[in-house]
Amino acid sequence: MKAHSHSDVWDLFIGVSGTGSITFIENDQLSVTAMKEWSFCAMPPNVVHEVRNLSDTDDLMFLLLHTPWEGYDFIPSKLIEAAEVKDVEKG
């Protein structure tokens, strides 16, 4: 899922299967959180985020809820550079 944000909507992610990550920028800081089976992530409005599948062979599956639905928007954002993400994932 390409980098984007929402002006008034929360994205609620629940991992179903596979291994992935959610990269996000909040307060000008790049962060990464794991997305795997049974994981949960709540992404607030106005936070640029991007979901990545970390496997070349397995699908990443997750349930995505938007709340509230009324006023939903999808604001494409500048792609988060892969090199920056790899540095953050290494810790």
Side-chain angles (χ1 to χ4, degrees):
M1 186 181 306
K2 299 284 186 186
H4 67 282
S5 64
H6 311 283
S7 38
D8 295 315
V9 173
W10 285 74
D11 273 352
L12 307 176
F13 297 90
I14 301 170
V16 175
S17 65
T19 304
S21 65
I22 301 176
T23 305
F24 59 99
I25 301 172
E26 190 170 30
N27 300 323
D28 294 326
Q29 184 167 345
L30 183 69
S31 300
V32 178
T33 189
M35 177 56 56
K36 54 188 177 182
E37 186 176 12
W38 296 112
S39 61
F40 175 78
C41 179
M43 197 59 55
N46 298 307
V47 173
V48 175
H49 55 284
E50 178 175 279
V51 179
R52 295 172 186 241
N53 183 353
L54 299 179
S55 173
D56 292 330
T57 57
D58 298 323
D59 290 333
L60 172 63
M61 296 180 65
F62 55 89
L63 176 64
L64 174 56
L65 305 171
H66 302 288
T67 184
W69 179 252
E70 187 173 304
Y72 175 83
D73 58 357
F74 183 95
I75 305 165
S77 299
K78 183 179 175 185
L79 184 64
I80 299 167
E81 296 296 328
E84 292 175 350
V85 171
K86 288 184 185 208
D87 288 343
V88 171
E89 287 175 345
K90 287 179 186 175

